[in-house]
Amino acid sequence: MQRYFVPENNWQSNSVSIDGEDAHHIIRVMRMQIGDEIICNTPQGQSATCKISMIQEKEVVAEIIGWLDKSSELPVFVTIAQGLPKGDKMDLVLQKGTELGAKAFIPFQAERSVVKWDSRKVEKKLSRYAKIVKEASEQSHRNYLPEIKSVMNLQALIMESKRYDVKIIAYEEEAKTDTFRSFASIVKSLSKDSKVLVCIGPEGGLSMEEVNKLKEYDFIPVRLGPRILRTETAALYVLSSISYHLEELEGLSCQQ
Amino acid sequence: MQRYFVPENNWQSNSVSIDGEDAHHIIRVMRMQIGDEIICNTPQGQSATCKISMIQEKEVVAEIIGWLDKSSELPVFVTIAQGLPKGDKMDLVLQKGTELGAKAFIPFQAERSVVKWDSRKVEKKLSRYAKIVKEASEQSHRNYLPEIKSVMNLQALIMESKRYDVKIIAYEEEAKTDTFRSFASIVKSLSKDSKVLVCIGPEGGLSMEEVNKLKEYDFIPVRLGPRILRTETAALYVLSSISYHLEELEGLSCQQ
């Protein structure tokens, strides 16, 4: 069934009103009729089956038939802080990361990020990113729309990290040290609703200074298998592995 | 150190000769000099550190200094049979699948594949795919160059599957049945060098007929987490999870 994320203000007690691009999608693309059913998600992650009761030029109203208790959310809260990559790789991280269950993304202006975000373009970029994440959430049957935070530098990322229970750095050099802690031991230690922040360098990786600074603030460097992953693949490995371990191996599900 | 995959015929007992695009890369792109070191991989997956001893117009000769015993190969042999997807999604599956350790790829002409491979274009396509896989192998420090097999239909895929120990289908509907077997229980059952064939449908998924036919031939349908993954994301989830379980959780490494 088609899914839509509907903003807070559009919910009434027994019905929901859909406007903007989603109304266009229902009316013109899907060509739905009165009586057709859709699933609407609240910003808090609840989902309701709704039956369309009115179709106007630019608005659709649907009655709430029942609330669904099935959740497809990862049982932990994972934020991907992605070192700004070149080209359209950020699009891939956002789309695939959403499919794989990330709860938030932080575009991270790393030392070796070749791309510098032009302040005039930030708004346009963020609005395009929001669209990618919304479409991927609907397509992958997410209950929750991942948040895209503003671009952060190292200092801002460290401030932000204080809200998290577990902080990791994807850092391929780590496996060569004696003190390295395995990624699996960290995943095993997670419990329901743990907040996990994953920091991934851009193409050139994180600098030693960045790694050392992050370590000071309790970020744990881990390797992600023995092969060298491209920057945009690291987030997908982390999210797939967390899903695999918690949802498939341990069967820890997130029931609302 | 820069890595190159060198064909069988270019290896002598103490030296290796590099020509074609790789010679161009060494001479013009990397601008290496006599005395510089590179890593050369044999088609069988062995790697040697080599020192450049001669640079000609279109050929580079390097002396073998020593063989490396470090392997970055997945401890199991995973083949991805990817239902032909639209656009350039196959490129993504090949590039990321190689980074994540796949040993072979089968382009699978599924019932719902919108794309039909034009026999005149097959050769061109396969040569482009070979280039993607070679570059990804070098970049991710693979010892082994994954094979890209010819396009197969269902019947050919079933014949091919007889060579494998474990066969799975990525099939999201499966989790709704009572008899479903978890993906994790299958990964847990793998041992070193197990041969695993993973069949993934195209955008529209596999048809019921395809799933039933594959089940007859011992393919096991599994879900990959509770979210709906796009066709090109499924292979990445499978490979990441297998790497995570065998290389990070159990620490099963593939030493040559």
Side-chain angles (χ1 to χ4, degrees):
Chain A
M1 208 180 300
Q2 198 64 39
R3 280 166 188 259
Y4 299 96
F5 284 88
V6 182
E8 191 72 53
N9 290 339
N10 292 33
W11 289 87
Q12 282 84 43
S13 57
N14 298 317
S15 70
V16 58
S17 134
I18 300 162
D19 49 25
E21 287 189 14
D22 288 340
H24 175 84
H25 191 260
I26 291 172
I27 303 166
R28 313 273 172 232
V29 181
M30 302 298 293
R31 297 181 183 205
M32 290 193 197
Q33 305 293 328
I34 286 172
D36 284 348
E37 293 186 1
I38 55 178
I39 292 176
C40 295
N41 292 289
T42 70
Q44 290 77 36
Q46 271 101 33
S47 309
T49 308
C50 301
K51 185 180 276 199
I52 295 173
S53 58
M54 192 184 81
I55 297 180
Q56 287 185 327
E57 180 65 18
K58 293 184 173 182
E59 191 195 357
V60 172
V61 175
E63 306 304 312
I64 299 167
I65 298 177
W67 291 93
L68 300 168
D69 59 3
K70 186 171 167 287
S71 170
S72 57
E73 291 299 313
L74 262 190
V76 292
F77 188 109
V78 183
T79 295
I80 302 292
Q82 173 69 54
L84 290 182
K86 288 190 265 187
D88 54 5
K89 288 181 198 161
M90 194 71 176
D91 295 12
L92 186 82
V93 171
L94 294 169
Q95 187 193 66
K96 302 289 165 240
T98 299
E99 286 175 57
L100 293 167
K103 281 287 201 310
F105 298 92
I106 299 171
F108 165 46
Q109 185 79 58
E111 199 179 309
R112 295 187 187 146
S113 285
V114 176
V115 180
K116 305 285 173 208
W117 274 27
D118 183 331
S119 59
R120 289 166 307 171
K121 289 186 190 157
V122 167
E123 207 175 321
K124 201 175 156 198
K125 253 187 210 293
L126 288 178
S127 110
R128 198 166 65 84
Y129 287 171
K131 201 173 166 192
I132 291 172
V133 162
K134 184 165 182 289
E135 284 175 4
S137 297
E138 288 168 357
Q139 178 270 328
S140 59
H141 297 194
R142 294 281 305 265
N143 298 68
Y144 186 93
L145 202 56
E147 183 186 0
I148 303 172
K149 298 190 184 258
S150 288
V151 63
M152 293 186 193
N153 61 16
L154 186 67
Q155 205 47 52
L157 183 64
I158 286 170
M159 284 300 293
E160 170 75 16
S161 75
K162 293 175 181 166
R163 303 201 214 165
Y164 289 81
D165 305 311
V166 177
K167 292 157 271 191
I168 64 178
I169 322 174
Y171 189 54
E172 64 203 31
E173 295 301 315
E174 189 58 20
K176 298 175 189 161
T177 68
D178 289 338
T179 56
F180 104 99
R181 197 172 153 201
S182 84
F183 176 47
S185 73
I186 295 168
V187 177
K188 265 198 259 186
S189 76
L190 299 176
S191 51
K192 198 167 172 318
D193 299 326
S194 289
K195 299 190 75 177
V196 185
L197 178 59
V198 182
C199 179
I200 296 165
E203 285 85 356
L206 297 166
S207 70
M208 270 311 290
E209 290 69 30
E210 284 172 326
V211 172
N212 288 337
K213 194 81 183 167
L214 290 167
K215 277 180 171 177
E216 268 179 44
Y217 288 89
D218 303 326
F219 279 76
I220 308 164
V222 296
R223 72 160 205 178
L224 305 171
R227 289 160 297 282
I228 307 298
L229 302 180
R230 283 176 204 240
T231 176
E232 73 277 17
T233 316
L236 317 186
Y237 186 106
V238 169
L239 288 162
S240 297
S241 300
I242 292 178
S243 161
Y244 170 79
H245 194 119
L246 301 182
E247 298 179 318
E248 295 297 328
L249 190 64
E250 292 188 349
L252 184 63
S253 68
C254 166
Q255 290 302 325
Q256 287 181 315
Chain B
M1 208 180 301
Q2 197 66 37
R3 281 168 185 257
Y4 299 96
F5 284 88
V6 182
E8 190 72 52
N9 290 338
N10 292 31
W11 290 87
Q12 281 85 43
S13 56
N14 297 320
S15 69
V16 59
S17 132
I18 300 164
D19 48 27
E21 288 190 14
D22 288 339
H24 175 84
H25 191 261
I26 291 173
I27 304 167
R28 313 273 170 231
V29 181
M30 302 298 292
R31 298 182 183 201
M32 289 193 197
Q33 305 293 328
I34 286 172
D36 284 348
E37 292 186 4
I38 55 178
I39 291 175
C40 296
N41 291 289
T42 70
Q44 290 77 34
Q46 270 102 33
S47 309
T49 308
C50 302
K51 186 180 276 199
I52 295 175
S53 58
M54 190 183 82
I55 297 179
Q56 288 185 327
E57 179 67 18
K58 293 182 172 183
E59 191 195 355
V60 172
V61 175
E63 307 304 312
I64 299 168
I65 299 177
W67 291 92
L68 300 168
D69 60 2
K70 185 169 168 286
S71 172
S72 58
E73 291 298 313
L74 263 190
V76 292
F77 188 109
V78 183
T79 294
I80 302 292
Q82 172 68 53
L84 290 181
K86 288 191 265 187
D88 55 4
K89 288 180 197 160
M90 193 72 177
D91 296 11
L92 188 81
V93 172
L94 293 169
Q95 188 192 66
K96 301 289 165 239
T98 298
E99 286 175 57
L100 293 166
K103 283 284 201 311
F105 298 93
I106 299 171
F108 165 45
Q109 184 78 59
E111 199 178 310
R112 293 184 188 149
S113 285
V114 176
V115 179
K116 304 285 173 207
W117 273 28
D118 184 329
S119 59
R120 288 167 306 170
K121 289 186 191 157
V122 166
E123 208 175 321
K124 203 175 155 195
K125 251 187 211 292
L126 289 178
S127 108
R128 198 166 65 82
Y129 287 171
K131 201 174 166 192
I132 292 172
V133 162
K134 184 165 182 290
E135 283 175 3
S137 297
E138 288 167 356
Q139 178 272 327
S140 59
H141 297 194
R142 292 283 304 266
N143 297 69
Y144 186 94
L145 201 56
E147 182 186 2
I148 303 171
K149 299 189 184 257
S150 286
V151 62
M152 292 186 194
N153 62 16
L154 185 66
Q155 205 47 51
L157 184 64
I158 285 169
M159 283 300 293
E160 170 75 15
S161 74
K162 293 175 181 166
R163 303 201 214 165
Y164 288 80
D165 304 312
V166 177
K167 295 158 268 190
I168 65 178
I169 322 174
Y171 188 56
E172 64 202 31
E173 295 301 313
E174 189 60 20
K176 297 174 189 163
T177 67
D178 290 338
T179 55
F180 105 99
R181 198 172 153 200
S182 85
F183 175 47
S185 73
I186 296 168
V187 177
K188 264 198 259 185
S189 76
L190 298 177
S191 51
K192 195 167 175 317
D193 298 326
S194 289
K195 298 189 74 175
V196 185
L197 178 59
V198 183
C199 179
I200 295 164
E203 284 85 357
L206 296 167
S207 70
M208 271 310 290
E209 290 70 30
E210 285 173 325
V211 171
N212 288 336
K213 193 82 185 167
L214 290 167
K215 277 180 172 176
E216 268 177 44
Y217 287 89
D218 303 326
F219 279 76
I220 308 165
V222 295
R223 73 162 204 176
L224 305 170
R227 290 161 297 283
I228 308 297
L229 302 180
R230 285 177 203 238
T231 175
E232 73 276 17
T233 316
L236 316 186
Y237 186 105
V238 169
L239 288 162
S240 298
S241 301
I242 292 178
S243 161
Y244 171 78
H245 194 117
L246 302 183
E247 298 179 318
E248 294 296 330
L249 189 64
E250 292 188 349
L252 184 61
S253 70
C254 166
Q255 290 303 325
Q256 287 182 312

